[in-house]
Amino acid sequence: MSGTSEGPTPAADLDRSAVTESDIYSTDSGPGAYQPPAYRSVFAAAPLAMAVVDREGLIVDANDALGALLGGGGARLVGRVASDLLDLASDVRTWHAYREVLRGRQAKLRCTRRLKQPDGRSLWAQVTVSPLDADTPGVLLSVADVSAHRDLQARLRHLQMHDPVTRLPNRTLFFERVSAALEAEAYEQSGTGRIGLCYLDLDGFKAVNDTLGHRVGDRLLAAVADRLTECAEEAGRTRPSVPLVARLGGDEFALLVEDSTGTEQLADLAESVLKTLQAPFDLAGHRLNVSASIGVVERHAAGTTATGLMQAADTTLYWAKVDGKDRWTLFDPERNAHLMTRQALASTLRPAIERGEFRLDYQPLVGMSDGRLRGVEALVRWDHPRFGLLSPNRFVALAEEDGSIVPLGRWILATACRQARQWQVDNPDEPPLFVSVNVAVRQVWDSDLVADVAKVLAETGLAPHLLQLELTESAVMGSAGRPLQALQALSDMGVGIAIDDFGTGYSNLAYLSRLPVSVLKLDGSFVRGFQYEGGGAPNPADEVVVEAMIDLAHRLGLTVTAECVETSAQATRLRSIGCDTGQGWLYSRPVSPDRISELLNTETYAVGNP
């Protein structure tokens, strides 16, 4: 008889309730031998398999019920090591608890073991170990065959966890497997640490049910399940594991790929599913052609939840339907984020401002001539409790539409100015940084921007020349009336005015000469045309246009900032044609205020260290 461990003993089974056999006692018939004469006949005739084990773990007496359970008579078990017969040493926790009971330091042990009998059959046994009375050394060991109970539990669980129509795992079992795959222990020890999902829905299945009846519909579902299972098995031939196929309800199925190797694997699986469903189904005298729409999601398991995975899959399945059906679509975070901001974020913008869900990162503005940090641009992020960190293009347009850009803009302005002043106080020996803040046109029309700026500067103590306001070219060019008056008042106050994305809007030079603008920020599309490392040829037209704009700006008394500087070759060329400051990933991505504090103490900015 040999055994295999079922796993660590549940904590509930390692209880402290003592079980004694006060009438089983020892005589001197032999060293270490136990003779319970008063109950010897009961011990021998009891249907429960039992044995008495000494403090060394050796069986000193066993009844025939135990012998029959383990193969052979009870007398043949005397002198054998009980833990070997019943597999009590296969896991550390059970072994430790067993030894504690033998030594009298623990009251009881109960565990379940799967034991293999001499004829090859296996059985599930519940093993209980309890000390004898205080005057009798050793423990009483009892073994109950619980195989029938376990088999019944397994059958009931199978029925509970499988779909009766297709015999596939159902939604409950599917989510159980997904949750287990997303546990840290499941992917940190081995595997790829990734997970993939193909979530599919049959196109036009409702018409089959409506025209041919649910009986044919059920047969179609079962036939589809068979093909999906074949697909999964074929995909698993060259992989460590076979994808799990499940029916989630109605005509929805899922194929779960644990330890996926990337989107290519999931794309191949989705393609094979579409292909296998193309062949007609012959059911009850009907030839049916069906197709499916499939949403494909593949990502790192870390940080993923079962709910999040299914939400992404459901969204992507919807895209596949919208895009024309009979196709698979890969989850696109960008597309998903835009949908979320349009539908779900609009209604929560104002409360989010009050709850403090926004934060500012800062991207350095570096002097092209000396590499020193001159200023920073404040960039707002929404740390959404449900959707994660959102960049401005996810919500600023919505804020402008519903007017919440006004309170959000006030918060950005106050936070950025307060931070700029704090850097100045913390670094009195360094030249103070200016902070550049984006302003939407609606802020000019729907609020008193001049009063807001004056109030913030007064409250924070920041000098006006250390604040720069950025407006897009399309918003500034052609300004008249109130916007122009506001810009002029701000300029008179000493605040810098910058035109963002210059060169892509109206480019009305007549207006440019009359506006109170101090800085032009060249759009990154021009800078990208400059020479790249790796042999990329520059675009001569872009160089000519940029050089002309820089020369024009300098003649008008303006400074120029180049956006999207990504290579040292671009920086070198911009420097040679007189560009004043640069901004881009060559210098740094947007970073936290603490990182800006570190850069302030650097004499020359570390070029190329994002």
Side-chain angles (χ1 to χ4, degrees):
M1 171 69 69
S2 62
T4 57
S5 172
E6 183 195 24
T9 304
D13 290 338
L14 302 180
D15 60 62
R16 306 298 301 175
S17 57
V19 175
T20 64
E21 296 288 340
S22 59
D23 294 301
I24 297 179
Y25 58 91
S26 172
T27 68
D28 294 330
S29 60
Y34 290 84
Q35 299 294 333
Y39 290 96
R40 191 68 184 83
S41 59
V42 177
F43 184 75
L48 181 63
M50 294 185 293
V52 176
V53 180
D54 67 16
R55 292 292 173 84
E56 302 303 320
L58 300 177
I59 296 177
V60 296
D61 196 6
N63 64 3
D64 289 337
L66 181 62
L69 189 68
L70 301 181
R76 297 177 59 185
L77 301 178
V78 175
R80 302 283 298 275
V81 179
S83 61
D84 292 344
L85 292 172
L86 299 173
D87 191 38
L88 298 179
S90 59
D91 70 78
V92 175
R93 188 180 180 192
T94 301
W95 177 236
H96 174 74
Y98 174 63
R99 288 185 297 172
E100 291 295 286
V101 177
L102 287 180
R103 295 166 182 169
R105 293 201 289 258
Q106 181 167 309
K108 191 176 184 179
L109 164 66
R110 180 180 291 116
C111 61
T112 305
R113 286 292 179 268
R114 189 177 186 181
L115 306 178
K116 190 173 183 180
Q117 296 179 303
D119 61 3
R121 292 184 297 114
S122 295
L123 64 86
W124 287 98
Q126 185 179 78
V127 181
T128 304
V129 185
S130 306
L132 298 173
D133 60 44
D135 298 327
T136 307
V139 297
L140 177 67
L141 183 148
S142 62
V143 183
D145 185 351
V146 294
S147 300
H149 179 66
R150 296 279 302 209
D151 290 344
L152 177 60
Q153 284 185 320
R155 287 195 297 272
L156 291 175
R157 175 174 169 79
H158 184 85
L159 291 173
Q160 181 186 7
M161 296 294 185
H162 287 76
D163 170 51
V165 174
T166 64
R167 299 184 180 179
L168 292 177
N170 60 15
R171 176 180 288 269
T172 302
L173 180 53
F174 172 78
F175 272 96
E176 189 175 285
R177 281 283 298 271
V178 172
S179 298
L182 294 175
E183 291 289 337
E185 296 81 0
Y187 57 80
E188 287 180 349
Q189 300 299 326
S190 62
T192 63
R194 303 185 68 85
I195 191 169
L197 175 63
C198 290
Y199 182 33
L200 66 97
D201 176 276
L202 299 181
D203 300 326
F205 177 75
K206 185 177 183 298
V208 175
N209 270 342
D210 292 344
T211 58
L212 301 178
H214 288 272
R215 184 167 176 269
V216 175
D218 286 350
R219 294 185 64 178
L220 176 59
L221 291 174
V224 168
D226 290 341
R227 292 194 187 181
L228 294 179
T229 301
E230 292 174 4
C231 242
E233 291 174 349
E234 183 63 30
R237 294 186 193 280
T238 57
R239 304 287 179 180
S241 61
V242 177
L244 172 72
V245 183
R247 182 190 177 197
L248 303 187
D251 59 337
E252 297 176 356
F253 296 84
L255 290 89
L256 176 67
V257 180
E258 300 175 52
D259 290 329
S260 69
T261 57
T263 55
E264 184 177 351
Q265 179 188 2
L266 271 295
D268 290 343
L269 181 59
E271 286 283 3
S272 67
V273 168
L274 292 178
K275 185 176 180 180
T276 197
L277 294 179
Q278 287 175 355
F281 292 84
D282 292 314
L283 303 169
H286 301 280
R287 171 160 281 205
L288 303 177
N289 290 284
V290 299
S291 62
S293 301
I294 307 175
V296 178
V297 181
E298 200 281 336
R299 57 180 54 171
H300 285 288
T304 299
T305 64
T307 301
L309 186 69
M310 284 307 300
Q311 284 178 340
D314 187 58
T315 298
T316 313
L317 173 60
Y318 171 76
W319 294 342
K321 292 280 190 184
V322 171
D323 292 344
K325 303 181 180 180
D326 191 19
R327 69 189 62 223
W328 63 269
T329 300
L330 183 66
F331 180 74
D332 179 4
E334 294 284 334
R335 183 175 180 179
N336 187 56
H338 282 295
L339 287 174
M340 289 189 302
T341 55
R342 179 60 57 185
Q343 298 176 7
L345 300 182
S347 61
T348 59
L349 265 168
R350 290 181 185 272
I353 300 170
E354 298 172 0
R355 290 193 298 263
E357 292 178 5
F358 292 90
R359 80 175 202 204
L360 294 184
D361 285 345
Y362 300 88
Q363 188 168 30
L365 296 163
V366 178
M368 301 293 289
S369 60
D370 57 9
R372 291 189 64 87
L373 183 61
R374 301 288 182 82
V376 294
E377 179 180 354
L379 299 168
V380 64
R381 277 87 171 92
W382 186 354
D383 194 2
H384 197 284
R386 179 181 175 190
F387 301 133
L389 196 64
L390 302 178
S391 57
N393 62 342
R394 302 287 191 270
F395 56 86
V396 166
L398 290 173
E400 291 180 353
E401 287 179 11
D402 69 3
S404 59
I405 191 66
V406 173
L408 178 60
R410 287 195 185 104
W411 178 86
I412 294 172
L413 179 67
T415 303
C417 289
R418 190 180 303 112
Q419 182 61 66
R421 177 58 180 159
Q422 189 63 50
W423 284 323
Q424 186 179 8
V425 171
D426 293 342
N427 301 272
D429 298 330
E430 298 291 335
L433 297 180
F434 71 86
V435 62
S436 191
V437 177
N438 291 278
V439 175
V441 174
R442 189 157 183 175
Q443 288 178 258
V444 182
W445 282 104
D446 292 2
S447 67
D448 191 340
L449 182 62
V450 177
D452 289 344
V453 170
K455 180 181 179 182
V456 166
L457 292 177
E459 290 177 348
T460 61
L462 186 69
H465 74 278
L466 295 179
L467 173 63
Q468 175 177 287
L469 301 180
E470 294 187 22
L471 291 89
T472 61
E473 180 182 340
S474 57
V476 174
M477 294 302 179
S479 293
R482 183 175 178 181
L484 181 58
Q485 295 170 3
L487 294 180
Q488 188 62 59
L490 291 167
S491 179
D492 294 342
M493 193 187 300
V495 175
I497 306 296
I499 300 179
D500 197 12
D501 301 327
F502 184 76
T504 60
Y506 297 108
S507 298
N508 190 324
L509 300 182
Y511 274 102
L512 181 61
S513 65
R514 295 195 296 268
L515 287 171
V517 174
S518 54
V519 178
L520 297 184
K521 296 191 72 174
L522 299 182
D523 186 73
S525 60
F526 292 107
V527 178
R528 293 189 187 98
F530 279 53
Q531 184 176 352
Y532 285 73
E533 275 100 350
N539 185 330
D542 282 342
E543 291 200 34
V544 171
V545 170
V546 170
E547 188 170 359
M549 287 193 293
I550 291 175
D551 182 64
L552 174 64
H554 287 170
R555 288 175 178 271
L556 293 173
L558 310 178
T559 60
V560 179
T561 297
E563 299 179 308
C564 301
V565 181
E566 297 179 349
T567 70
S568 58
Q570 291 172 323
T572 299
R573 182 61 181 140
L574 288 165
R575 187 183 306 113
S576 69
I577 60 178
C579 186
D580 300 288
T581 55
Q583 177 181 1
W585 286 8
L586 172 66
Y587 306 110
S588 175
R589 297 170 183 261
V591 295
S592 66
D594 292 342
R595 177 58 179 153
I596 297 297
S597 298
E598 295 174 7
L599 296 176
L600 267 170
N601 298 317
T602 304
E603 183 176 351
T604 301
Y605 194 83
V607 175
N609 184 21

